Amino acid sequence: MSICGKRYAEAVAAYVSRIPSEQAKAIAQAADLVVTSLRRGGIVNAFGSGHSEAVAMEIAGRAGGLVPTNRLALRDIVLHGGEPLSVLSDPLLERDLGVAERILNAAPVQPEDAFVIISSSGVNGVVVELADIVKRRGHPLIAMTSLAHSTAVPSRHPSGRKLYEFADVVLDNGAPLGDSVLELPGGGSFGAVSTITSALLAQMMVAEVVAQMLSADEAPPVYLSANIPEGDAHNNELEARYAGRLRRGA
């Protein structure tokens, strides 16, 4: 490994090491919201655009994670909303306020559902508008964002508000303004950290949900890997409890 690679690993490790202590209370609160939703028959809808979609994938539909989960995405307006494929060619689609309601209208959302919206900046039109609609519809909302970044830049939403301002619980991924942690000669930086710290937050939240359910003698609805012999049968049985409400695939 080069010296630069080692420097990056050490920088990321420093950010990761702060998450368990600094975010413990927020993680527990987020888990409370999720458990309450699951007990009411709800599911967790996770949304992130751009690289934040990778974090939504940590929450929805993966081995070791919760079965009652959905991953919402910009492309849903085409795959499930019937819009032309050409709309996805717009590089600024995540700044279009109107997309948020179109995503929700194409999703099998029910009143008991909870939401996790992931955006490190937390300022673009879709995520802010989605958060606004979610709260107006009465859903619990967990925001995963960088407070250092979000509080340092202006909102791109007409309200002037940002994702974290709508949330019932904020999980701060701790990433710096601009996300990257290594400086470039002459200015700028490289080596992003937010995906790593956000994935850790997501998995810690799920771990707390499972722990709460186990402590209450409830069987947590958790996926097994589909790549072990009993995985498919186990997962299919759990998914059947949420027929018509879970999307798995694109």
Side-chain angles (χ1 to χ4, degrees), residues 36-51:
T36 298
S37 176
L38 298 186
R39 286 172 175 163
R40 292 174 176 170
I43 65 172
V44 178
N45 296 282
F47 174 81
S49 62
H51 287 93

Side-chain angles (χ1 to χ4, degrees), residues 57-181:
M57 293 173 71
E58 287 293 311
I59 295 170
R62 67 154 298 149
L66 299 171
V67 172
T69 52
N70 267 335
R71 173 165 47 97
L72 307 180
L74 293 174
R75 61 183 169 275
D76 289 355
I77 62 176
V78 172
L79 295 176
H80 305 291
E83 299 191 29
L85 182 61
S86 59
V87 302
L88 300 182
S89 64
D90 181 359
L92 301 180
L93 189 63
E94 69 175 343
R95 300 183 185 181
D96 182 348
L97 272 63
V99 172
E101 188 157 18
R102 284 143 61 192
I103 290 171
L104 283 177
N105 288 343
V109 176
Q110 294 192 8
E112 302 82 7
D113 291 357
F115 281 77
V116 181
I117 300 180
I118 307 110
S119 172
S120 205
S121 69
V123 299
N124 282 318
V126 168
V127 294
V128 178
E129 184 71 5
L130 188 63
D132 188 6
I133 297 172
V134 162
K135 288 311 303 173
R136 283 192 276 113
R137 294 185 181 181
H139 297 283
L141 171 61
I142 300 159
M144 198 176 296
T145 191
S146 163
L147 290 178
H149 187 131
S150 195
T151 57
V153 296
S155 173
R156 289 175 171 149
H157 191 271
S159 69
R161 299 176 71 184
K162 302 168 187 180
L163 169 61
Y164 74 88
E165 296 178 274
F166 291 92
D168 297 292
V169 178
V170 177
L171 299 178
D172 184 3
N173 66 32
L177 175 64
D179 204 350
S180 301
V181 294

